[in-house]
Each structure stands twice: as structure tokens, then as C-alpha cells.
Amino acid sequence: MNKSELIDAIAKDAGITKVAAKASLESFISNVTSTLKKKDGKVSLVGFGTFSVAERAARQGINPATKKPIKIAAKKVAKFKAGADLSNAVSGAKKK
């Protein structure tokens, strides 16, 4: 599913226009992004999952073209950890 298909599905399920669904999705993305940019930013949606930021340490890598070692700088990366309801739905487990 791509962004436009998701907008169509949201509009249909919520009984709203595609314009309103697009605005809602863009607002969600914008708010998650701005929260993750903050120090210790985290967005938790109970049952769905948690968006967070992790520090990736600097490390040694290998340039695949030249096979020479290169230094890979430390950086922050976005993470998502699925919640129990989402994990169970994907795995097909029955909810108790």
C-alpha cells in the first residue's frame, strides 16, 4: 500500500473526503516527525506500537567497490516497535 492508497482507505473507512484524509495523514506524519526531533522524543500508540529514536554508534565498514575499510559516522535513526495487538494480528495469533 502506498500513500495515496492509504489516503483512499482512510477516507472510505472514516466517511470523509480524500482531502480531509490527506490532511489528517500529513498532520500525523508531521507531528510524529517533530516529536522525534526533540530530545528523548517518543510517540506511543497503545496496541499499535512506539516510534522512537536510537543512537547508532560509529563503526568500521568496507567499501564494496574497493574492499577498503571506511569509517561510518555515528547517527540517530528512527525506530518502530510493534505493539502487542499489531504483532498478534500480523502473526495470526488469537486475542485472549
Side-chain angles (χ1 to χ4, degrees):
M1 176 179 278
N2 62 31
K3 186 176 179 179
S4 65
E5 291 170 339
L6 180 58
I7 290 168
D8 292 344
I10 292 170
K12 182 181 175 190
D13 291 347
I16 58 177
T17 66
K18 290 182 185 179
V19 172
K22 181 179 180 183
S24 297
L25 180 59
E26 288 177 351
S27 174
F28 172 78
I29 293 169
S30 173
N31 281 289
V32 169
T33 302
S34 65
T35 299
L36 292 180
K37 285 181 179 180
K38 296 176 185 171
K39 185 178 180 187
D40 299 326
K42 184 163 90 168
V43 177
S44 296
L45 303 172
V46 176
F48 182 71
T50 302
F51 297 91
S52 62
V53 176
E55 297 277 342
R56 184 174 288 170
R59 62 192 192 280
Q60 195 76 10
I62 296 176
N63 181 334
T66 63
K67 307 292 185 217
K68 292 187 180 181
I70 58 172
K71 290 183 180 178
I72 302 171
K75 66 179 182 177
K76 292 181 181 180
V77 294
K79 287 180 25 176
F80 176 76
K81 183 175 186 316
D85 292 347
L86 179 60
S87 294
N88 291 339
V90 170
S91 70
K94 300 283 184 197
K95 193 173 184 180
K96 293 180 181 181

